[in-house]
């Protein structure tokens, strides 16, 4: 982990009945923290599977924020040196050359330390190849939303996954 990606306006518009979305919240002494995760269905393109995903961390409260962070991890079950990229510059994770299924994960984050009350990933495109070495229905996105409020040494977090 430790890859920083850009920020964009965030929307959970779901265009397909098969897209997956999860929103979880936790109440802090200062307001609510929400973790969002969204993933489109897998589509095929040549010898690859592809999907889009997006995550966010949103604090709704009146206190000032030291920082807020969304940390996500994409996972899939792969074998035979198959790979998964998650659409960021320092990218990619691969299975070993074994024919056994392996859980392969890649993570990244976006953090705001400028007083913003939200941290949003860009909508990204993930690619799994080759298709034959992907175990069906194994792809997932996990997101941790975390916030630290000014004047309090504690931080709060909540997870969402699809």
């Amino acid at each position: 982990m430790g890859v920083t990606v850009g920020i964009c306006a965030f929307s959970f518009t779901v265009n397909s009945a098969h897209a997956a979305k999860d929103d979880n919240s936790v109440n802090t002494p200062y307001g609510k923290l929400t973790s969002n995760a969204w993933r489109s269905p897998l589509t095929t393109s040549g010898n690859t599977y592809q999907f889009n995903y997006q995550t966010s961390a949103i604090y709704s409260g009146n206190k000032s924020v030291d920082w807020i962070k969304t940390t996500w991890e994409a996972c899939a079950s792969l074998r035979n040196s198959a790979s998964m990229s998650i659409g960021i510059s320092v990218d990619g994770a691969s299975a070993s050359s074994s024919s056994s299924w392996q859980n392969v994960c890649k993570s990244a984050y976006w953090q705001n330390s400028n007083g913003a009350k939200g941290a949003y990933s860009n909508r990204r495109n993930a690619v799994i190849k080759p298709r034959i070495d992907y175990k069906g229905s194994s792809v997932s996105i996990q997101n941790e939303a975390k916030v630290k409020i000014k004047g309090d040494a504690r931080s709060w977090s909540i997870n969402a996954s699809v």
Side-chain angles (χ1 to χ4, degrees):
M1 189 161 36
V3 177
T4 303
V5 298
I7 188 167
C8 72
F10 191 77
S11 169
F12 274 121
T13 303
V14 178
N15 295 322
S16 167
H18 297 99
K21 178 176 179 272
D22 189 26
D23 308 317
N24 286 325
S25 298
V26 62
N27 289 317
T28 77
Y30 311 108
K32 184 167 68 172
L33 175 65
T34 301
S35 176
N36 301 295
W38 173 86
R39 177 178 57 80
S40 72
L42 269 66
T43 59
T44 59
S45 178
N47 196 28
T48 70
Y49 283 119
Q50 300 190 23
F51 64 92
N52 294 320
Y53 70 91
Q54 196 169 14
T55 67
S56 74
I58 301 170
Y59 162 69
S60 54
N62 296 323
K63 292 288 188 178
S64 296
V65 172
D66 271 337
W67 51 260
I68 188 166
K69 185 176 184 181
T70 175
T71 303
W72 64 92
E73 184 176 60
C75 297
S77 187
L78 308 176
R79 64 183 180 185
N80 295 328
S81 301
S83 65
M84 176 178 61
S85 70
I86 61 170
I88 56 177
S89 57
V90 180
D91 192 20
S94 299
S96 73
S97 58
S98 170
S99 61
S100 298
W101 293 109
Q102 302 147 53
N103 194 40
V104 172
C105 297
K106 186 68 177 179
S107 61
Y109 71 89
W110 176 259
Q111 179 172 313
N112 274 336
S113 301
N114 59 2
K117 293 185 178 181
Y120 309 90
S121 76
N122 285 319
R123 184 165 292 196
R124 298 284 174 173
N125 178 252
V127 179
I128 298 168
K129 63 181 180 183
R131 287 188 302 164
I132 195 169
D133 290 314
Y134 163 72
K135 188 175 185 180
S137 302
S138 67
V139 72
S140 66
I141 300 287
Q142 295 89 31
N143 180 50
E144 180 190 51
K146 196 168 187 177
V147 68
K148 182 177 179 306
I149 306 300
K150 280 189 185 297
D152 195 319
R154 297 171 293 175
S155 60
W156 285 267
S157 63
I158 185 72
N159 294 314
S161 61
V162 289

